[in-house]
Amino acid sequence: MSDAQRADALLAEMPQGGRGRLKVFLGAAPGVGKTYAMLQAAQAQLRQGVDLRAAVVETHGRAETEAMLAGLPQQPLRRFDYRGMQLTEMDLDGILARPPRLALVDELAHTNAPGSRHAKRWQDVQELLDAGIDVYTTVNVQHLEALNDQVHDITGVQVRETLPDWVLQEADEILLVDLPPRELLERLREGKVYVPEQARAAIDAFFSQTNLTALRELAMQTAAARVDADLNRRYRQRGLEAPAVRGRLLLGIDGDHQAERLVRHASRVAERRHLPWSVVHVDTGGVRSEESRACLQAAQQLAERLGGEVVTLRAESVAKALVQHANERRASLLLVGRSRQRLRRRLLGRGLAERLLHLGEGLEISVLDTEADRRPPSPRASDSARLVDYGLAVLAAITASALAWLVSHSLELPNISLVFLAAVLLVAVRSSLGPALLCAGLSFLAYDFLFIPPTFSLTIARQEDVLTLLFFLLMAGLTGNLASRQRRQLDALRETQSETTALLDLSRKLTAATDRQAVLNVAIQQFGAWTDVEVCLLSRGRDGIWKVEAGVQRLLADQERAAAEWSWQHDQPAGLGTDTLPGGRWWWLPLSGEEGPLVLLGISPRDEAPLPAGRRRLIAALGQPLAQALARAQLAEDLEAARLHGETEQLRSALLASVSHDLRTPLTAMRGSIDSLLALGEAIPMADRRELLEGTRDEAERLDRYIQNLLDMTRLGHGGLKLARDWVAPVDIVASALQRLRPVLAPLQVETRVPEQLPLLYVHAALIEQALVNVLENAARFSPSQGRLRVAVEADETELRFSVSDQGPGIPPEERDRIFDMFYTAARGDRGGQGTGLGLAICQGMVGAHGGRVTVSDGLDSRGATLTLHLPLHPQPQLEEE
């Protein structure tokens, strides 16, 4: 065994994080002392200081059990009225509100009273375990679901309260409480189990010496199977080789009464052999009765409760599909029930078992025979539907006979048979094989009676007519069989296509859904097309408040809200048609991601009847892509939030760096000039004093521009920029901007190219002037001394452009798209690390607010850069003549 396999075994043995441990006291029959042993173990835990509480303990009036219960902390039972009766049940919410370390829960297979949160007590125990509470519990072996039919065969009693076997298999510890049958019978006679009257009736019925011995054997086998599994796990933890995997068990079932019996038998076989197992149903496309559908659905649900895998295949041949699936899953054992031997199978000798033996080379095939009185229901249509189909067959035969009689004078005898073949084909397409064969038989008799000489007699005079009739009967049977088979396949394909179409349609819609609300709208559109149900999508915020995100906007009743709450917390379906709070009108299905439910899908049938199993499967299938789409939308929102947070932190850091450097520079120059004036005073010549004051003024104006840029950027970012548009001449904007930057542009050779005839701009003049000032200042900062700087204005029919060209170092092409980002300063280029990095970003924002844009190109003489402000032109106003 590899180290990785050993590590996996050790990890599997470790307790699951946050989940409690389950200890089961298993007995063969009531009265063996399970509750007493559980209380005895609880007393030992209490002496060790363990915080425990008896959630529910059934003493049945036994004095020794009541004495053992004394001194243990008990949780008061929940009392409620039901149809005039006072009922008591375990207070699950009370235990969860003040959780102990250990809870005592008697009778694990108990059925809760109507109105409880869960239908079964074992579901309450699962919720306690999920809450991190250890549980001691008791159960008798006859309550195990897989042994239900075997217990019935032994005792003749049908046990109604059953427990899924996987609950017992997942227990951390199983303690077998054993008592020899003779001692148990002695306790019964002494009245230590039941009162004397009940004890005598129990001994005569359930508690016979033979029954108790058989039940004791079942309990020992169950405990021994668990011991073997634990022993194999211990060996793997020590690094020794575990027993080799023996393949898989496949069980083939059909919609008949023996299906559940087969499932229980397969579960026991798989448990004994330690095999994974699957229940396979092959759908050949035949029409099934409601009884057959119910039997098949019950068997599949039982298999899921017992821990098996449920698989549905669609194929024409049951035997071929089972063998092919067994080979694909590498199964070693194939189990089927013995089917009814119909006449054609008896004649041909090709029943399902025979065909499996012929095809399943290398497979171990077991055929379970059932009791004679267990007759499967017909997998065909219901009784009324069958009568209609057979009536159609008779009517078709009569109609074909009449039509053939009308055309018999103009057609040859062989051609008349085509009329009957058409009738057989019509019936086969309309109904099934049985009516088609009936129509073929009636057509055969009518053809012989009406058209084969001598007519109006079943006697055949000519030998060649015998061959004709036999050939007609053969063709009619084959035609009907083929047409019926094609119809079944067509129905199966239609059903599959409808499901596939629904999934494809949903996937196509989800492709265009980019956010959470769009996904929810798609869900409402998909399920809203079903007129027989109401749809609601719920979510719960961190504050615990429920919100209807889409669908039916209606206040939920307390029971509906409780079912939704439980479904959200446990990430499992609840409500109508489930075992958890089934009394409401809504079925809640959580659409979950990796971290839990994202939204609850609520479905409520308008007729208040439980949803059919097929509809539930389709909704669950559609829920998977919806959940994935919601998870993707949630992930996209989280990534966007993370990106925005990162950018915000980056901008904050850049702002602090810019403010600390660029705002400090003019302040330092101003402070130096002021300190010199204060310290030296009149000793400084007037010309130098004036120069210091002018330098202080220039730095103050520079500081003012920095602060104005910050304020403008804040207004742009928060939507506080309001456009007060008016008509203005472009030449006025250029002149005002040059005037404001006259000291900055003094060392440069400024060239202006402004045509005399230019259209007016409908803009906020101050903002466009500020944008042009930012571009001019950016160009002046990096232009060489006495360098050329050109300001040009030009217009066409759609836009007007302000261009500023310089002879600076230029902007690399790969950085031209980024120079308009806030706080971005290129290591080279027109902003080579100087300035706050806000000027061009503000320029882009101001021009963009007017519907314009800013572009970058090469500068003068293939040097520097040219920044162009593009502004849209509006229809020119009509000027009044003086």
Side-chain angles (χ1 to χ4, degrees):
M1 174 179 289
S2 66
D3 293 339
Q5 293 174 330
R6 184 179 179 184
D8 291 340
L10 291 172
L11 289 175
E13 182 65 15
M14 295 178 63
Q16 300 179 10
R19 183 175 173 84
R21 297 180 63 84
L22 177 63
K23 183 174 182 178
V24 179
F25 294 82
L26 176 66
V32 297
K34 304 181 302 300
T35 304
Y36 186 88
M38 180 184 70
L39 296 177
Q40 192 175 31
Q43 290 284 2
Q45 293 291 322
L46 184 63
R47 289 192 294 269
Q48 296 178 11
V50 176
D51 177 22
L52 60 85
R53 199 177 315 152
V56 56
V57 176
E58 303 290 350
T59 63
H60 297 289
R62 300 164 189 165
E64 63 271 18
T65 305
E66 293 179 350
M68 187 60 66
L69 180 60
L72 294 177
Q74 298 186 44
Q75 175 71 35
L77 297 177
R78 184 171 64 93
R79 302 179 183 275
F80 57 95
D81 293 328
Y82 178 73
R83 295 182 178 179
M85 297 183 296
Q86 188 74 16
L87 302 179
T88 58
E89 285 293 350
M90 181 179 70
D91 188 3
L92 179 60
D93 292 327
I95 300 173
L96 295 174
R98 190 168 57 88
R101 175 69 182 278
L102 172 64
L104 308 180
V105 182
D106 205 5
E107 296 186 0
L108 185 60
H110 170 76
T111 300
N112 291 331
S116 300
R117 180 185 305 174
H118 300 295
K120 295 289 187 177
R121 184 168 289 172
W122 64 264
Q123 295 174 307
D124 297 336
V125 169
Q126 291 296 315
E127 191 163 345
L128 293 177
L129 294 173
D130 291 337
I133 302 174
D134 297 341
V135 176
Y136 284 180
T137 188
T138 64
V139 70
N140 288 324
V141 71
Q142 68 261 25
H143 293 294
L144 294 180
E145 184 68 63
L147 302 176
N148 187 262
D149 56 346
Q150 198 168 358
V151 171
H152 178 267
D153 294 339
I154 293 172
T155 64
V157 176
Q158 186 70 46
V159 179
R160 300 300 179 185
E161 293 185 331
T162 57
L163 173 76
D165 289 45
W166 63 264
V167 177
L168 198 65
Q169 294 169 6
E170 291 185 354
D172 299 279
E173 185 178 355
I174 296 178
L175 179 63
L176 178 63
V177 182
D178 187 33
L179 190 66
R182 291 184 179 180
E183 295 185 20
L184 179 56
L185 291 174
E186 187 66 27
R187 285 172 54 84
L188 279 168
R189 296 187 183 98
E190 294 175 356
K192 294 183 178 180
V193 179
Y194 298 119
V195 296
E197 292 78 6
Q198 292 178 335
R200 284 192 295 271
I203 293 175
D204 295 338
F206 189 86
F207 289 87
S208 67
Q209 177 83 22
T210 304
N211 290 351
L212 292 178
T213 302
L215 292 175
R216 188 186 185 202
E217 179 67 21
L218 288 179
M220 290 182 175
Q221 290 178 2
T222 302
R226 176 57 186 262
V227 170
D228 290 341
D230 290 342
L231 183 63
N232 291 333
R233 186 167 59 252
R234 302 295 180 185
Y235 269 97
R236 291 196 297 270
Q237 292 172 3
R238 293 171 56 187
L240 301 178
E241 286 294 334
V245 178
R246 301 178 183 178
R248 171 177 288 270
L249 184 150
L250 292 187
L251 169 65
I253 63 171
D254 200 0
D256 48 31
H257 287 297
Q258 68 172 332
E260 293 188 50
R261 182 181 180 87
L262 287 172
V263 169
R264 293 190 178 95
H265 179 77
S267 174
R268 295 193 298 268
V269 174
E271 178 68 20
R272 288 196 298 267
R273 298 195 183 188
H274 306 292
L275 294 176
W277 60 291
S278 303
V279 173
V280 183
H281 166 65
V282 181
D283 185 2
T284 58
V287 181
R288 294 187 171 274
S289 65
E290 291 299 327
E291 184 182 5
S292 176
R293 291 177 183 269
C295 291
L296 179 60
Q297 179 181 346
Q300 291 175 335
Q301 292 176 349
L302 175 61
E304 291 178 345
R305 293 199 301 270
L306 295 178
E309 178 189 17
V310 176
V311 180
T312 300
L313 304 176
R314 287 186 172 89
E316 179 180 343
S317 173
V318 176
K320 290 182 179 179
L322 288 176
V323 172
Q324 182 179 0
H325 187 70
N327 294 330
E328 292 175 353
R329 299 300 302 272
R330 297 184 180 181
S332 57
L333 174 60
L334 180 58
L335 176 63
V336 294
R338 185 176 181 180
S339 58
R340 288 187 300 171
Q341 293 294 321
R342 296 186 175 92
L343 177 61
R344 60 187 178 90
R345 290 179 178 174
R346 291 174 182 173
L347 296 176
L348 298 177
R350 301 293 289 177
L352 177 61
E354 290 80 2
R355 284 177 288 169
L356 288 175
L357 290 173
H358 176 71
L359 298 173
E361 183 178 356
L363 277 176
E364 178 184 352
I365 299 175
S366 296
V367 182
L368 180 65
D369 197 4
T370 55
E371 298 178 1
D373 58 348
R374 293 181 180 266
R375 295 299 181 185
S378 174
R380 305 301 174 188
S382 61
D383 294 339
S384 59
R386 287 200 301 269
L387 290 177
V388 172
D389 290 341
Y390 284 106
L392 174 65
V394 175
L395 179 62
I398 295 175
T399 304
S401 300
L403 182 61
W405 182 263
L406 292 177
V407 300
S408 60
H409 300 289
S410 58
L411 294 179
E412 298 293 335
L413 182 61
N415 296 330
I416 297 177
S417 63
L418 298 178
V419 178
F420 292 100
L421 287 177
V424 174
L425 183 61
L426 177 63
V427 172
V429 172
R430 172 63 179 81
S431 58
S432 58
L433 180 59
L437 292 179
L438 176 61
C439 183
L442 294 177
S443 299
F444 171 80
L445 295 176
Y447 187 46
D448 182 17
F449 186 77
L450 297 176
F451 302 104
I452 299 296
T455 57
F456 304 106
S457 172
L458 297 178
T459 304
I460 303 175
R462 297 181 301 178
Q463 294 182 353
E464 57 268 22
D465 292 336
V466 175
L467 182 61
T468 301
L469 280 175
L470 292 178
F471 181 75
F472 167 78
L473 183 61
L474 176 63
M475 293 302 298
L478 291 177
T479 303
N481 186 22
L482 290 175
S484 176
R485 182 184 303 176
Q486 292 297 322
R487 180 177 181 273
R488 293 197 304 268
Q489 293 178 355
L490 180 61
D491 292 339
L493 288 175
R494 284 176 177 173
E495 182 180 356
T496 305
Q497 183 182 14
S498 63
E499 297 178 3
T500 306
T501 302
L503 287 172
L504 290 176
D505 184 48
L506 179 62
S507 301
R508 186 182 69 255
K509 294 178 181 178
L510 289 176
T511 303
T514 58
D515 57 7
R516 178 184 177 87
Q517 189 58 46
V519 175
L520 296 178
N521 292 337
V522 169
I524 291 299
Q525 293 176 6
Q526 185 70 31
F527 296 111
W530 298 350
T531 58
D532 58 337
V533 297
E534 292 180 326
V535 184
C536 178
L537 292 170
L538 285 182
S539 66
R540 192 180 66 174
R542 296 181 179 178
D543 53 1
I545 298 178
W546 287 98
K547 176 185 177 183
V548 179
E549 297 208 34
V552 177
Q553 301 287 333
R554 183 183 303 168
L555 292 178
L556 298 178
D558 293 339
Q559 189 172 16
E560 303 292 355
R561 187 175 290 104
E565 184 78 25
W566 190 92
S567 178
W568 185 276
Q569 290 181 356
H570 295 82
D571 197 10
Q572 296 178 14
L576 180 66
T578 68
D579 293 332
T580 301
L581 299 172
R585 293 183 55 251
W586 289 84
W587 174 52
W588 300 106
L589 176 68
L591 305 182
S592 306
E594 294 182 358
E595 298 181 358
L598 301 171
V599 71
L600 280 185
L601 172 62
I603 303 293
S604 175
R606 297 186 185 276
D607 56 0
E608 299 185 5
L611 291 171
R615 179 66 67 87
R616 286 178 179 270
R617 288 194 297 270
L618 178 58
I619 294 175
L622 294 176
Q624 293 180 357
L626 281 174
Q628 294 173 358
L630 286 172
R632 288 196 301 270
Q634 183 66 38
L635 179 60
E637 292 178 1
D638 294 342
L639 291 176
E640 181 65 16
R643 185 186 66 82
L644 292 177
H645 179 72
E647 290 184 355
T648 301
E649 292 298 325
Q650 183 180 1
L651 293 178
R652 184 180 292 110
S653 300
L655 176 60
L656 292 176
S658 298
V659 169
S660 62
H661 178 268
D662 295 300
L663 299 186
R664 184 180 299 171
T665 301
L667 286 174
T668 302
M670 294 168 60
R671 182 176 179 180
S673 300
I674 293 173
D675 288 342
S676 299
L677 291 172
L678 290 176
L680 300 177
E682 297 295 335
I684 301 177
M686 181 58 69
D688 295 339
R689 217 184 313 169
R690 183 179 181 85
E691 183 178 354
L692 288 174
L693 290 174
E694 290 179 352
T696 303
R697 182 194 62 193
D698 294 340
E699 293 298 331
E701 291 178 353
R702 178 183 174 189
L703 180 62
D704 179 69
R705 288 194 298 272
Y706 284 161
I707 296 175
Q708 185 62 41
N709 282 342
L710 288 174
L711 293 176
D712 290 342
M713 202 69 248
T714 302
R715 292 165 62 196
L716 285 171
H718 290 82
L721 188 63
K722 305 298 182 183
L723 297 181
R725 293 176 180 263
D726 198 359
W727 294 100
V728 62
V731 64
D732 295 338
I733 296 177
V734 174
S736 179
L738 294 175
Q739 179 65 26
R740 287 177 56 185
L741 293 177
R742 187 174 56 179
V744 176
L745 301 176
L748 302 175
Q749 301 178 19
V750 180
E751 175 187 356
T752 59
R753 294 184 179 180
V754 182
E756 294 182 358
Q757 299 296 329
L758 285 174
L760 298 179
L761 289 174
Y762 188 63
V763 295
H764 192 305
L767 293 182
I768 300 302
E769 178 184 329
Q770 182 63 43
L772 185 57
V773 166
N774 289 347
V775 174
L776 286 170
E777 185 181 14
N778 181 79
R781 182 181 299 121
F782 300 105
S783 294
S785 180
Q786 298 301 316
R788 292 172 56 203
L789 190 148
R790 184 172 66 197
V791 181
V793 182
E794 55 184 4
D796 55 26
E797 295 180 355
T798 59
E799 66 178 12
L800 185 139
R801 295 177 290 276
F802 294 95
S803 300
V804 178
S805 305
D806 60 53
Q807 290 181 320
I811 302 173
E814 62 273 10
E815 297 185 4
R816 291 180 179 179
D817 292 335
R818 303 182 59 192
I819 62 173
F820 300 105
D821 296 341
M822 286 192 298
F823 307 116
Y824 175 77
T825 53
R828 301 173 296 145
D830 278 19
R831 291 191 290 168
Q834 303 182 32
T836 61
L838 291 174
L840 294 183
I842 295 173
C843 176
Q844 177 84 315
M846 290 178 173
V847 175
H850 290 80
R853 56 194 173 92
V854 183
T855 60
V856 184
S857 58
D858 294 334
L860 299 174
D861 302 327
S862 300
R863 295 174 54 191
T866 297
L867 273 74
T868 304
L869 311 183
H870 301 258
L871 291 168
L873 290 175
H874 294 77
Q876 297 296 298
Q878 295 181 0
L879 301 179
E880 297 182 357
E881 296 182 359
E882 296 182 359

